[in-house]
Structure formats: structure tokens, C-alpha cells
Amino acid sequence: LSGLLAQAQQMQAQLAANQAQLENDRVSGQAGGGLVQATVTGTGELVGLQIDPKAADPNDTETLADLVLAAYRDASNQAARLQQQVMGPLAQGLGGLGSPGA
């Protein structure tokens, strides 16, 4: 039982470290051939947005809004892949915590 408790505490510490890493990691997504670029943390928080002046047509703000959304979605997808890389092995370990033979 003490071994199981120690293993759970170790996994909890690793989970906290991985979460901190994701909060500091940055990934970017783009749309419109790079006219709009969004930067998010590994946890998916939007922390930066760059818009090329060519994308800012005052007569067509709908296209700009679509580009911003597409860039954010691209960055969010990359953040989700990063989360899977960082947290995936740990999540698999959590799944086996209560299984027979563990």
C-alpha cells in the first residue's frame, strides 16, 4: 500500500511539472498563407496575434475574422498535440493505477 501511495505521489508531482511545462510552451498557427498568425500556450491560452496589414481590408472584416479564427484553431490543434505528447504517457499510467496486477 505504501508503494502504491508513493507511486501516486510521484505521478502527481510529474503531472504538476508537465502542466507547468505546458503553460510555458508556445505553439503558433497560421491562416491565409501566413497573413494571420496566432500563438497559444501548450494549455491553449491565446497569448499573441499577428496580422499582416494586407489582411486588414476595412471593407471585408468578415474575411479577417475568419482568418483569425482559422489561425487560432490551427494553434489550438498544435497545442492539443503537444498536450498529448507531454501528458500522454502519464495519462496511460493513471489508467493502469487501479488495474489488476498494478
Side-chain angles (χ1 to χ4, degrees):
L1 186 59
S2 64
L4 185 59
L5 182 58
Q7 182 182 7
Q9 289 173 335
Q10 181 181 15
M11 291 178 76
Q12 184 178 17
Q14 185 63 46
L15 181 64
N18 288 0
Q19 186 69 27
Q21 176 187 340
L22 287 171
E23 289 172 0
N24 290 319
D25 286 345
R26 302 288 187 262
V27 292
S28 295
Q30 62 177 336
L35 290 175
V36 176
Q37 187 173 42
T39 302
V40 299
T41 65
T43 58
E45 179 185 357
L46 181 65
V47 293
L49 185 63
Q50 294 178 338
I51 301 173
D52 188 302
K54 295 178 212 167
D57 180 354
N59 297 319
D60 187 12
T61 57
E62 287 180 27
T63 298
L64 178 57
D66 289 342
L67 290 172
V68 169
L69 287 173
Y72 176 71
R73 284 186 190 121
D74 184 33
S76 292
N77 288 336
Q78 291 187 47
R81 285 192 294 274
L82 179 62
Q83 288 173 12
Q84 182 61 35
Q85 287 176 338
V86 172
M87 302 298 264
L90 188 59
Q92 290 172 357
L94 290 174
L97 191 61
S99 62

